[in-house]
Amino acid sequence: MGELKLMKGNEAIAEAAMRCGCDGYFGYPITPQSEIMETLMLAKPWETTGMVVLQAESEVASINMLYGGASCGKKVMTSSSSPGISLMLEGISYLAGAELPCLIVNVVRGGPGLGTIQPSQADYFQTTKGGGHGDYQVIALAPASVQEMNDFVGLGFDLAFKYRIPSLILTDGVIGQMMEKVIVAESKPRWTDAEIKKISGTWATTGKTKDRERHVITSLNLESEKQEIHNHHLQAKYREIEVNEVRFEEFQTKDAEYLYVAYGSSARICQKSVQLARAKGIKVGLLRPITVWPYPTVRLSELANQVKGMLAVEMSAGQMVYDVRLAANGKIPVSHFGRYGGVIPSPDEVLVAMEKFIKEGK
Amino acid sequence: MAAIEIKDIIKKENLVYGKTKILTDNIMHYCPGCSHGVIHKIVAEVIEELGIQEKTIGVSPVGCSVLAYNYLDIDWQQAAHGRAPALATATKRLLPDHYVFTYQGDGDLASIGTAEILHACNRGENITVIFVNNAIYGMTGGQMAPTTLMGMATATSPYGREAALHGYPLKITELIAQLPGVAYVTRQSVQTPAAVRKAKKAIKKGFENQDKKIGTSFIEIVSTCSSGWKLSPVDSNRWMEEHMFKFYPLGDLKDSERNSEEEYKKYIE
Ligand SMILES: Cc1ncc(C[n+]2csc(CCOP(=O)(O)OP(=O)(O)O)c2C)c(N)n1
Ligand code: SF4
Ligand SMILES: [Mg+2]
């Protein structure tokens, strides 16, 4: 087992990156996640693991640096917050189109526009419904603790390489800034050239040797029939991920009559609210999606046969609630409670919303 | 005397010129009179002559040369419009013993990708940049480029480029030459055999500089776009010589004295 440390969520991301054998980090400062690059620059991993850390000129450059690094079969990552991720969307679409594995961290802040530096969950649509152009998905992991911030770096890379897809950690300023105990992983060395050849040798641009055809990383197909075939391939991969990689956690759902559905920091708030509700004799449970794409649709539609209603709690004006409604498919009432623009709801406030929902069905 | 037959001539010892193996046999999509094809050929020849095929990674742009990867038999990454220098930055830093180059048009490099090229050069990335300046957006059908000359008519400056409406043509190469991270900046062309030889020498030097780790090498090739300019191949060359060379004079803009990583470090300090 690894060491026990007290860390901020953002620091945990940086620490986990160095320990999981990440080859390169490319980023641009933005609150509330700048500690990730600051921690890396302070640690100077290029002197120990050989990991490259570079402050790019913009998020546009960072994401395209990921495209270059990932093309070489390297484990590369970036992090940003909402406005920066908006700038990256063209690049993310290219990465998805060219099927490049990489890790992107979004420590979400309140929008729209420059908005606020306070926490928010209003980038759910952007993350799970494309964001950039074209039919594509990224695997999106939503940590609810500093431990998970640490764990999902390695997991994100594993999934990215397993499916040749960008992985994204969708978190917010609460988890990024709060301090908790973390068991950090044992350090793994970076992949050797031979390992990269084994893992990505059929496609990575590592120099065309005599024993193989040249490798071309591109998302371009001038013939639409070929581009449709490529899209079929992508869609088949996405269906496979939907079958294999859904992750979620349930809290007091066994006898639940009503259900909170919440991810990330909202799930932490709802967990407390479940306890408050139970103390009052209201049978409430919580389902926490850990992957927001692929979404735990199947489990939620099962629960729709058990509970009398579902309340999606998000720090947004109501985005994930659409996925809850799709899963419930009209069987039971589904509603939304949210504070947004950087405001964090309290467990009591969430309970009041649940009581109102139980009474009024909305 | 017996008549000489063709089969007597086709012999190895009589061979004076051959197509480099780095060029594939794919039929190029470039228009007649386009400079891209010639530039591809000399980049390919340089890669063969230096024996670096196995260690070279090209980054193609968005522009007419987006499909460069069909023509040079090396590993390629195809970048988003303007972002090639960002891809090349990461690639070179992660594979420092490889030769990494970007191949970019004027719209790609000097308009949408201005930030990426300036910052890659300013960081002194050890890469080679091939900048094909034909003063127009060839791929999208001949719209105005940042390098379009004053008075030049294009699809989006149909009455000719005028400063009040369109701003001035951008001498990005002169800007790049100011940056301490850049080791070598030159402006060449490929309209005559002599020019081709000089341009090839410049490209070779650009690749060789990657061994020395002395910063970015930047090679502009003033080029023609016969389709975009709506001129015949011959007239395009003439027009380029008469008009383009006046505003974009050929020759070296910078050839830093430094010859090694140590000298480069000293220079920076
Ligand atoms: C983000 C984005 N904007 C616009 C385009 C459309 N586009 C494709 S190529 C091009 C201009 C290319 O001109 P240049 O770089 O000079 O290359 P050339 O074709 O002249 O060689 C444009 C604007 C695009 N592909 N992506
Ligand atoms: S449009 Fe211009 S740049 Fe493009 S291939 Fe034709 S001549 Fe070359
Ligand atoms: Mg052009």
Side-chain angles (χ1 to χ4, degrees):
Chain A
M1 212 174 76
E3 272 172 83
L4 186 68
K5 292 193 174 191
L6 182 69
M7 275 194 278
K8 266 190 178 188
N10 288 336
E11 291 164 355
I13 296 265
E15 182 75 26
M18 292 184 280
R19 285 174 179 264
C20 80
C22 179
D23 293 302
Y25 171 93
F26 305 89
Y28 188 81
I30 182 169
T31 309
Q33 61 78 53
S34 295
E35 295 88 351
I36 298 177
M37 186 171 22
E38 289 167 7
T39 305
L40 289 169
M41 286 293 185
L42 207 58
K44 296 203 269 189
W46 52 91
E47 288 182 357
T48 50
T49 72
M51 176 183 176
V52 169
V53 185
L54 183 65
Q55 178 167 338
E57 62 270 32
S58 68
E59 291 85 354
V60 174
S62 320
I63 197 72
N64 285 286
M65 287 172 183
L66 252 62
Y67 188 103
S71 294
C72 302
K74 300 282 186 181
K75 272 187 178 177
V76 287
M77 66 179 289
T78 186
S79 63
S80 187
S81 180
S82 311
I85 299 289
S86 293
L87 272 181
M88 290 186 191
L89 288 173
E90 183 201 28
I92 296 174
S93 168
Y94 270 69
L95 284 154
E99 297 190 89
L100 291 173
C102 62
L103 181 66
I104 301 155
V105 180
N106 183 3
V107 185
V108 181
R109 58 189 252 181
L114 195 52
T116 157
I117 58 172
Q118 300 304 323
S120 162
Q121 294 183 315
D123 291 0
Y124 181 89
F125 280 156
Q126 189 196 55
T127 307
T128 63
K129 310 296 176 217
H133 58 286
D135 285 313
Y136 77 89
Q137 293 290 344
V138 300
I139 293 179
L141 300 161
S145 63
V146 178
Q147 182 68 55
E148 283 188 341
M149 290 285 260
N150 171 85
D151 299 348
F152 289 178
V153 172
L155 176 64
F157 273 123
D158 288 348
L159 293 171
F161 275 87
K162 183 173 174 191
Y163 295 100
R164 282 188 65 182
I165 191 172
S167 287
L168 188 145
I169 294 179
L170 182 67
T171 184
D172 59 59
V174 176
I175 314 276
Q177 295 295 332
M178 76 183 181
M179 288 188 101
E180 283 186 321
K181 280 188 290 187
V182 185
I183 299 167
V184 295
E186 302 280 1
S187 287
K188 279 199 290 188
R190 291 167 53 231
W191 286 334
T192 61
D193 288 351
E195 283 169 314
I196 288 176
K197 193 169 177 190
K198 223 173 111 191
I199 296 159
S200 311
T202 55
W203 55 268
T205 55
T206 49
K208 186 214 168 295
T209 44
K210 297 211 169 45
D211 56 347
R212 67 160 170 86
E213 298 287 298
R214 66 180 178 284
H215 289 168
V216 176
I217 303 295
T218 181
S219 58
L220 175 70
N221 253 318
L222 288 174
E223 291 161 66
S224 27
E225 283 76 14
K226 281 196 184 153
Q227 183 61 5
E228 189 180 42
I229 291 168
H230 178 58
N231 267 282
H232 285 159
H233 161 73
L234 291 178
Q235 291 303 317
K237 175 165 91 176
Y238 299 152
R239 298 297 86 75
E240 190 188 337
I241 294 170
E242 283 169 345
V243 171
N244 295 336
E245 305 300 345
V246 174
R247 287 165 170 77
F248 57 89
E249 188 182 50
E250 292 181 35
F251 185 68
Q252 307 227 4
T253 52
K254 258 206 189 96
D255 61 343
E257 290 175 1
Y258 286 90
L259 193 70
Y260 287 122
V261 186
Y263 68 95
S265 43
S266 288
R268 292 283 288 263
I269 296 160
C270 286
Q271 200 168 332
K272 181 74 195 166
S273 189
V274 167
Q275 288 165 347
L276 297 176
R278 294 265 169 181
K280 285 175 119 180
I282 313 168
K283 286 186 177 168
V284 179
L286 163 70
L287 184 134
R288 171 173 82 94
I290 293 173
T291 50
V292 286
W293 192 87
Y295 197 71
T297 308
V298 175
R299 180 58 189 146
L300 272 177
S301 62
E302 280 167 17
L303 283 166
N305 296 327
Q306 172 195 321
V307 301
K308 295 179 192 155
M310 294 181 182
L311 184 67
V313 178
E314 306 169 70
M315 294 192 294
S316 77
Q319 300 191 9
M320 185 191 69
V321 64
Y322 287 92
D323 283 331
V324 181
R325 280 206 186 100
L326 281 174
N329 201 15
K331 283 186 248 180
I332 49 163
V334 171
S335 193
H336 167 262
F337 175 74
R339 295 294 304 270
Y340 36 101
V343 180
I344 307 165
S346 71
D348 295 307
E349 216 178 338
V350 170
L351 179 58
V352 169
M354 178 57 100
E355 285 173 323
K356 180 172 172 280
F357 175 58
I358 292 170
K359 216 161 105 196
E360 299 169 14
K362 59 179 198 272
Chain B
M1 215 175 77
I4 297 173
E5 284 186 36
I6 189 87
K7 67 175 189 328
D8 300 322
I9 298 170
I10 306 175
K11 282 184 186 155
K12 217 174 170 189
E13 58 268 30
N14 288 337
L15 193 71
V16 290
Y17 185 79
K19 180 172 86 78
T20 159
K21 286 191 198 70
I22 304 294
L23 272 190
T24 65
D25 288 331
N26 293 329
I27 295 166
M28 285 191 184
H29 69 283
Y30 300 114
C31 311
C34 176
S35 306
H36 277 304
V38 183
I39 302 167
H40 281 23
K41 189 194 74 164
I42 54 179
V43 172
E45 285 175 355
V46 165
I47 292 169
E48 175 159 58
E49 284 165 26
L50 295 175
I52 56 173
Q53 181 189 24
E54 301 200 354
K55 289 234 171 259
T56 302
I57 297 166
V59 185
S60 77
V62 174
C64 274
S65 50
V66 62
L67 294 174
Y69 54 73
N70 282 342
Y71 310 128
L72 267 69
D73 193 20
I74 52 169
D75 280 1
W76 281 98
Q77 301 167 6
Q78 196 283 303
H81 197 18
R83 318 301 173 207
L87 277 66
T89 293
T91 300
K92 183 69 181 188
R93 284 180 182 242
L94 290 161
L95 298 173
D97 64 335
H98 282 56
Y99 298 83
V100 181
F101 74 96
T102 68
Y103 185 109
Q104 304 177 256
D106 40 60
D108 195 81
L109 182 143
S111 190
I112 196 167
T114 315
E116 283 73 21
I117 192 64
L118 275 176
H119 286 278
C121 288
N122 195 43
R123 287 188 301 264
E125 300 295 344
N126 262 302
I127 58 170
T128 306
V129 177
I130 314 284
F131 168 39
V132 181
N133 177 11
N134 54 15
I136 206 153
Y137 284 10
M139 189 193 210
T140 39
Q143 295 85 3
M144 186 185 69
T147 46
T148 295
L149 299 178
M150 295 306 292
M152 191 172 160
T154 70
T156 50
S157 58
Y159 305 107
R161 181 176 195 153
E162 50 174 305
L165 186 57
H166 304 289
Y168 296 93
L170 179 60
K171 292 192 179 186
I172 190 125
T173 305
E174 274 77 355
L175 269 174
I176 299 278
Q178 306 303 311
L179 306 172
V182 179
Y184 175 50
V185 182
T186 188
R187 185 181 280 129
Q188 302 289 332
S189 65
V190 293
Q191 84 286 17
T192 65
V196 170
R197 271 197 295 277
K198 278 179 78 181
K200 184 173 159 184
K201 228 172 114 187
I203 290 172
K204 193 173 218 170
K205 183 176 177 143
F207 276 89
E208 283 169 342
N209 280 347
Q210 292 197 36
D211 286 328
K212 298 185 194 161
K213 301 185 173 30
I214 52 173
T216 316
S217 296
F218 187 98
I219 297 126
E220 172 179 344
I221 318 262
V222 181
S223 297
T224 54
C225 172
S226 32
S227 293
W229 295 358
K230 299 186 168 53
L231 293 173
S232 73
V234 173
D235 287 345
S236 295
N237 278 340
R238 203 170 296 140
W239 193 88
M240 175 176 73
E241 285 172 346
E242 276 170 24
H243 301 273
M244 295 276 283
F245 290 180
K246 240 186 256 159
F247 194 74
Y248 301 115
L250 304 187
D252 288 354
L253 285 88
K254 180 179 197 175
D255 191 1
S256 72
E257 302 292 291
R258 57 195 194 236
N259 255 313
S260 67
E261 200 176 0
E262 282 65 46
E263 285 182 39
Y264 179 33
K265 273 187 193 146
K266 245 185 253 156
Y267 171 87
I268 288 174
E269 279 154 22

